[in-house]
Amino acid sequence: MCGIVGYVGPKQATPILMEALRRMEYRGYDSAGIAVLNNGGIEIHKAAGKLSVLAGELEGREPVGTTGMGHTRWATHGAPTTVNAHPHLDQSGRIALIHNGIIENSTAIKKALLARGHVFLSETDTEVLAHLIGELYEGNLEEAVAAALRDVDGAYGIVVLSADEPGTLIAARNGSPIVLGLGEGENLVASDQSALLDHTRSVVYLDNGEMAVLSANSYRVRTLTTRQIDKPVNQIEWDLATIERGGFDHFMLKEIFEQPESIENTMRGHLLEETGNVRVYGLKLSDTDAKKVKRIIITACGTSWHSALIGKSMIEELARIPTDVEYASEFRYRNPIVDSETLVIAISQSGETADTLAALLEAKQRGARVLGLVNVVGSTISREVHGGMYLRCGPEIGVASTKAFTSQVVALAMVTLRFARLRTMSLLEGRRYIDALQQLPAQIQQVLDCAPEIEKLASRFDGATNALYLGRGVNFPVALEGALKLKEISYIHAEGYPAAEMKHGPIALIDENMPVVVVAPRDAVHGKIVSNIQEVRARGGKVIAIVNKNDEEISRLAEATFIVPETLDLLTPILTVIPLQLLSYYVAVNRGCNVDQPRNLAKSVTVE
Ligand code: F6R
């Protein structure tokens, strides 16, 4: 979602800000702007659309100055126009503000400011906050920001500068991530670590309710009421090469091809072959505590919600603990039944999804122990949970989630083993699972080696406006995930359905123009899914089936098949999802879509 960057130091700010905004492009945005302190005033440039439009605006008239800030906006209040783009100025034009999040009481504040003669240019809540800070300014920007934020309800990550205090940036956080980047004789602030990596690896994460005061040679963290607090300095482990495309046409393709390695990283150090068990210190769950868990709720959004459904099957089947899967956005508003014997697992690649964060806070408040399966180190969710596991699959830049999904399923398999070995699972069975998990990286590689076959199959979607994805049991969530991937990056409408449920409605849609993708490995429900494929065939439907080797029965019925290696039934999603990720990628490329930044989507959804 929106990106924030600020720079203060000896160098020209404009090129640094523009490069940092480029590094955050993957988050999704619809307008951009920068503000630089220049000649005793603030020079602002803004443009609707992609960063290249802003870069065009700046050509030949780049603002000169060594303190500045930049923003990419994903519209929430007001259309994605130049006037609504950030930065916004206060009434005097001497204070500028960039903001991620939503100021919930902005309407009331605006009304009061209007009554006192303020004039607003944009429709944004951000401009209201800029005016409020300006009104409270009495020669000390830091105190004016703190005073304004004490009056504000809602979520924000902000950076503020004033023409009257050159060489100072003020940042604050409540709900939207802010990280300080500490350099040599220069300091930065950003909403995303990737914006800082060109300059430093030393970072300080602000927590909710905290502010920072930055100059070139110093920084100080405080709260809205106290002048100074101590914060640890962390080191970023990712490097720039990791977040660049590495020779692939798109980040999404690179990330799909990284999966043998990324799931290996997720498992590294956790598998205990000898005892057929896992050791995940981060879960902070003793055997006694784990035995006390009577019920599990997994909460997440989107792709992470699909992995949660697979986790439910694994946990119920192997550990026999009743498990519910909840959309995070629904969970918090429906008075959920949660108590101290309920374990809540929040899954999130970004660790910043507002709905998932709110659900876990709700669960915590109701007395549940909350675990997080999160990719981004230091993210808000990872810091709010009682324990958890980092996915360690590396930065996921493509908006469509791919490698995070397989890592989430692997992480859930490990959590399952932890519970199952304490309850029902034998040593031998545990060892069998560990062995199967260890084979997965090589098996994914086998699937990836056949990517050209999928590329050919993609042409079967030429001219299609709808597609149906079918699966059963643990592969039903894979059908949902395949359909989500297709629709979000190729804009073809797709539905995922439990294969047998299809006859209760969607079967009416089937004709020779609609591709039907069936996920049908040779598992416990294989015979059943063969009948479902026959039902599709009988209506002239064209089936593309994901199968295991030597599946003559389905090969006879399907128009096309793609073979994935065999594994334990509950682990099949980790292999069957790969061809569906590739399929959506190639279909989208054939249709000329912007694969890495699909329209209307953001990588990290930090608003409710
Ligand atoms: C789909 C996708 C989204 C995310 C969802 C949750 O490809 O990326 O559906 O899965 O927005 O995001 P996280 O996992 O960051 O909480």
Side-chain angles (χ1 to χ4, degrees):
M1 204 147 264
C2 311
I4 275 186
V5 61
Y7 174 81
V8 51
K11 300 179 194 144
Q12 282 304 314
T14 304
I16 292 173
L17 300 175
M18 289 299 286
E19 185 53 33
L21 293 180
R22 259 178 223 115
R23 297 224 177 274
M24 292 186 287
E25 274 197 290
Y26 74 91
R27 297 170 67 98
Y29 67 100
D30 41 41
S31 59
I34 59 166
V36 175
L37 288 181
N38 181 7
N39 274 337
I42 302 173
E43 189 171 337
I44 291 193
H45 294 267
K46 312 201 271 193
K50 292 287 166 199
L51 265 181
S52 51
V53 184
L54 179 63
E57 292 273 313
L58 291 175
E59 225 170 271
R61 51 189 188 125
E62 292 202 346
V64 175
T66 59
T67 305
M69 60 197 194
H71 188 263
T72 44
R73 171 173 187 255
W74 194 79
T76 54
H77 277 58
T81 58
T82 302
V83 98
N84 285 335
H86 302 200
H88 288 284
L89 290 170
D90 77 324
Q91 181 84 350
S92 70
R94 311 250 338 133
I95 292 174
L97 169 72
I98 51 178
H99 165 221
N100 289 351
I102 295 176
I103 305 297
E104 276 163 16
N105 58 343
S106 67
T107 311
I109 298 174
K110 187 172 183 176
K111 208 169 149 198
L113 290 169
L114 281 169
R116 294 199 287 273
H118 286 252
V119 177
F120 294 92
L121 305 176
S122 77
E123 303 158 81
T124 64
D125 51 344
T126 304
E127 192 184 11
V128 175
L129 181 56
H131 278 239
L132 183 63
I133 293 170
E135 193 174 72
L136 295 166
Y137 185 70
E138 290 173 354
N140 184 332
L141 186 62
E142 175 186 340
E143 291 310 329
V145 172
L149 293 179
R150 287 196 289 268
D151 282 348
V152 152
D153 293 332
Y156 54 79
I158 59 167
V159 181
V160 193
L161 55 75
S162 163
D164 297 313
E165 297 185 31
T168 302
L169 291 175
I170 310 289
R173 170 198 170 133
N174 190 40
S176 268
I178 288 284
V179 52
L180 314 182
L182 311 179
E184 293 285 322
E186 60 183 8
N187 283 312
L188 295 99
V189 54
S191 53
D192 189 317
Q193 304 170 9
S194 58
L196 303 174
L197 277 171
D198 279 322
H199 307 277
T200 183
R201 283 157 176 283
S202 301
V203 296
V204 173
Y205 301 105
L206 289 197
D207 282 305
N208 287 340
E210 291 177 356
M211 286 175 56
V213 185
L214 297 130
S215 65
N217 292 309
S218 69
Y219 76 96
R220 175 163 50 83
V221 180
R222 54 166 288 173
T223 67
L224 299 188
T225 46
T226 51
R227 281 241 351 128
Q228 179 144 15
I229 53 170
D230 286 335
K231 294 286 290 185
V233 177
N234 299 275
Q235 296 299 316
I236 307 180
E237 283 167 18
W238 298 346
D239 57 21
L240 274 179
T242 324
I243 59 167
E244 275 161 9
R245 281 209 307 268
F248 286 90
D249 287 344
H250 296 95
F251 281 113
M252 180 179 176
L253 192 61
K254 171 177 175 263
E255 286 155 11
I256 292 173
F257 273 82
E258 277 172 356
Q259 288 175 105
E261 194 188 333
S262 55
I263 67 156
E264 185 104 55
N265 286 338
T266 307
M267 293 187 277
R268 181 160 295 128
H270 294 318
L271 305 184
L272 304 174
E273 292 157 37
E274 198 60 23
T275 54
N277 209 329
V278 293
R279 177 185 49 209
V280 188
Y281 292 123
L283 292 180
K284 298 190 190 134
L285 201 63
S286 67
D287 285 0
T288 322
D289 287 343
K291 280 182 189 155
K292 278 191 202 142
V293 172
K294 294 275 183 305
R295 190 174 152 236
I296 293 178
I297 296 175
I298 316 179
T299 186
C301 303
T303 287
S304 302
W305 186 80
H306 296 156
S307 70
L309 291 174
I310 296 167
K312 170 185 164 76
S313 294
M314 289 174 168
I315 295 169
E316 291 196 334
E317 176 78 27
L318 299 176
R320 308 305 293 161
I321 304 174
T323 303
D324 295 313
V325 175
E326 298 263 7
Y327 283 115
S329 53
E330 293 294 320
F331 177 75
R332 57 191 293 209
Y333 291 117
R334 59 169 206 81
N335 196 10
I337 302 168
V338 173
D339 58 25
S340 58
E341 291 178 336
T342 310
L343 178 74
V344 173
I345 303 178
I347 307 180
S348 176
Q349 185 287 129
S350 61
E352 300 293 350
T353 301
D355 289 322
T356 310
L357 175 62
L360 87 81
L361 294 176
E362 180 71 33
K364 248 167 96 175
Q365 209 192 354
R366 287 170 186 253
R369 188 180 168 75
V370 181
L371 299 183
L373 305 182
V374 171
N375 192 33
V376 178
V377 175
S379 56
T380 311
I381 291 177
S382 73
R383 287 181 291 139
E384 285 291 349
V385 288
H386 296 116
M389 190 190 301
Y390 280 121
L391 301 176
R392 303 195 300 215
C393 65
E396 194 179 62
I397 309 289
V399 164
S401 190
T402 52
K403 63 177 178 173
F405 175 80
T406 43
S407 282
Q408 286 164 353
V409 178
V410 164
L412 283 160
M414 292 194 287
V415 170
T416 303
L417 274 187
R418 173 85 182 84
F419 284 105
R421 289 286 287 114
L422 281 174
R423 292 167 188 243
T424 50
M425 188 186 270
S426 68
L427 170 66
L428 279 184
E429 220 189 333
R431 283 186 180 156
R432 213 158 65 91
Y433 264 89
I434 298 287
D435 183 46
L437 283 168
Q438 284 170 329
Q439 287 183 40
L440 286 170
Q443 291 178 316
I444 294 180
Q445 191 55 55
Q446 281 176 44
V447 177
L448 293 171
D449 290 343
C450 299
E453 285 176 39
I454 295 281
E455 193 170 359
K456 282 194 205 121
L457 288 180
S459 63
R460 292 173 186 266
F461 285 70
D462 289 352
T465 48
N466 289 291
L468 195 58
Y469 284 67
L470 304 176
R472 296 195 72 143
V474 77
N475 277 292
F476 160 54
V478 175
L480 290 176
E481 175 60 8
L484 178 67
K485 286 288 90 88
L486 187 76
K487 64 188 146 196
E488 66 185 336
I489 61 165
S490 76
Y491 315 139
I492 296 176
H493 170 244
E495 298 260 9
Y497 248 81
E501 186 64 19
M502 169 201 60
K503 59 184 172 295
H504 299 288
I507 199 164
L509 296 170
I510 290 174
D511 63 18
E512 62 285 358
N513 299 319
M514 185 159 82
V516 181
V517 179
V518 187
V519 189
R522 201 178 287 105
D523 59 10
V525 284
H526 181 262
K528 300 286 167 199
I529 212 158
V530 171
S531 316
N532 302 136
I533 293 176
Q534 276 161 338
E535 288 158 9
V536 174
R537 290 291 292 155
R539 272 99 194 152
K542 300 275 186 309
V543 172
I544 298 170
I546 310 300
V547 294
N548 291 136
K549 210 160 138 191
N550 299 330
D551 193 332
E552 273 133 31
E553 215 174 356
I554 294 188
S555 301
R556 264 199 307 277
L557 292 169
E559 289 266 301
T561 53
F562 181 88
I563 295 170
V564 295
E566 288 184 35
T567 181
L568 299 177
D569 281 9
L570 287 169
L571 300 181
T572 52
I574 297 164
L575 299 176
T576 53
V577 78
I578 310 283
L580 304 193
Q581 295 170 343
L582 285 166
L583 187 61
S584 61
Y585 171 79
Y586 290 121
V587 171
V589 169
N590 288 349
R591 289 164 63 94
C593 298
N594 184 345
V595 172
D596 282 335
Q597 289 169 41
R599 68 183 181 212
N600 303 338
L601 291 179
K603 182 66 187 163
S604 162
V605 185
T606 51
V607 291
E608 198 185 327

